[in-house]
Amino acid sequence: MSTLTVAALQLALGSADEAENIARVSALVEEAAAKGAQVILPPELFSGPYFCTVEDEALFALARPTAEHPSVRAMQALAVGLGVAIPVSFFERDGHHYYNTMAMIGPDGAIMGTYRKSHIPDGPGYEEKYYFRPGNLGFKVWDLFGARLGVGICWDQWYPECARVMALMGAEVLFYPTAIGSEPYDAELDTSRMWRRAMQGHAVSNCMPVVAANRIGAEGAQRFYGHSFIADEWGDLVEHFGSEESGVLMRRLDLGRAAKHRAGMGFFRDRRPQLYGRIAEDI
């Protein structure tokens, strides 16, 4: 398939009622599917408020095994009913271990596999290392609708290595579910421009589209800034929201055109991996 229709969802997810948040996402998934979306991306950890602003051992109770998590089960039912694929971000419990995980749900409703977030932030307002182990599954790509998709999770999106590895694995589109907003240590710092530019850079340097979905709204002292977008293979924003809109971003991506440009730009032809050993060394 030389085209793929993708959607990114942006909405507020601050309700303490898990079922309410999942219902809000479900309504947007249905809207996107009705408009022709094939792959629909909700934001990161969408079943509730972003809980990593504090360190509270009681919050580990939010985690469930993959097949039991309400977000996964709800999106499975939607995927099979609508014939769409949904990368589902959730808090996973695997025995005594906890992960920030994405389950790829295929159009038959099956869990095609999981990816566990590789880069775990630790700072004011984003204290994820308290809750999540670093992912141990490696980067993943997924074959859907005749295309190969790569999915990273939030903090992964700041790392060009993550995007490049997925591209080298054959990814043709990169997806990033996200929860990012204000910085508690600096009220004047707005990272939304940097956030977009980092991923637009991945689109340019790998010559492939990028899709990012973020939440919006105030959750306690933190405000999430949205700015979800779809960028083409040149890094241009072909669809985007601001900081307040709630809804669905849609785009039919021309993957054949992107593949032609990717070959013509020569980024992969001219790579010199024998010179890059320093990248794989600890600082």
Side-chain angles (χ1 to χ4, degrees):
M1 180 181 292
S2 61
T3 64
L4 181 73
T5 303
V6 301
L9 311 183
Q10 179 167 294
L11 69 162
L13 296 162
S15 173
D17 185 334
E18 184 176 63
E20 181 180 345
N21 290 317
I22 292 174
R24 289 175 180 171
V25 170
S26 297
L28 291 182
V29 168
E30 291 175 337
E31 179 183 336
K35 294 177 178 177
Q38 296 167 288
V39 183
I40 303 170
L41 181 68
E44 181 186 22
L45 299 171
F46 62 79
S47 65
Y50 178 75
F51 57 88
C52 305
T53 56
V54 297
E55 296 184 4
D56 182 351
E57 65 183 13
L59 294 174
F60 283 99
L62 296 172
R64 281 87 146 189
T66 300
E68 299 175 18
H69 199 285
S71 293
V72 174
R73 297 178 69 171
M75 295 303 113
Q76 283 184 279
L78 280 173
V80 70
L82 300 170
V84 299
I86 310 172
V88 181
S89 172
F90 68 102
F91 189 11
E92 178 195 4
R93 185 180 80 241
D94 181 13
H96 296 299
H97 297 157
Y98 296 82
Y99 300 95
N100 187 333
T101 299
M102 185 280 302
M104 180 60 82
I105 309 301
D108 60 355
I111 300 172
M112 299 177 66
T114 57
Y115 164 71
R116 290 168 172 163
K117 187 173 181 177
S118 297
H119 302 93
I120 310 298
D122 184 26
Y126 303 93
E127 299 177 30
E128 294 195 13
K129 279 188 169 67
Y130 179 76
Y131 296 100
F132 309 131
R133 288 168 62 93
N136 56 2
L137 301 176
F139 300 115
K140 299 286 191 75
V141 292
W142 317 89
D143 292 321
L144 285 154
F145 302 107
R148 181 162 288 188
L149 319 179
V151 184
I153 302 173
C154 200
W155 193 230
D156 289 333
Q157 68 209 351
W158 295 90
Y159 292 83
E161 298 89 345
C162 173
R164 177 51 58 88
V165 169
M166 290 189 287
L168 290 171
M169 295 171 73
E172 299 169 86
V173 188
L174 302 177
F175 293 81
Y176 294 101
T178 299
I180 190 170
S182 57
E183 302 291 341
Y185 68 91
D186 186 350
E188 301 301 316
L189 178 60
D190 178 0
T191 64
S192 62
R193 300 184 309 281
M194 293 177 276
W195 176 74
R196 275 184 171 173
R197 288 172 187 155
M199 286 178 281
Q200 287 174 266
H202 302 332
V204 173
S205 60
N206 294 290
C207 210
M208 63 184 59
V210 169
V211 183
N214 192 19
R215 61 176 68 202
I216 58 172
E219 298 180 17
Q222 202 157 6
R223 176 169 290 277
F224 293 86
Y225 55 54
H227 285 88
S228 303
F229 69 89
I230 301 170
D232 67 11
E233 68 271 19
W234 297 135
D236 292 326
L237 299 181
V238 292
E239 302 290 345
H240 57 93
F241 279 139
S243 61
E244 303 293 336
E245 298 97 325
S246 179
V248 175
L249 291 176
M250 292 270 301
R251 190 74 174 190
R252 184 181 183 188
L253 301 174
D254 189 337
L255 301 184
R257 183 189 71 187
K260 180 181 71 174
H261 291 155
R262 194 157 54 246
M265 290 299 292
F267 294 143
F268 294 88
R269 177 197 65 208
D270 297 337
R271 290 181 67 249
R272 300 288 306 282
Q274 68 272 26
L275 305 179
Y276 305 155
R278 183 67 181 89
I279 292 176
E281 297 174 3
D282 289 335
I283 294 175

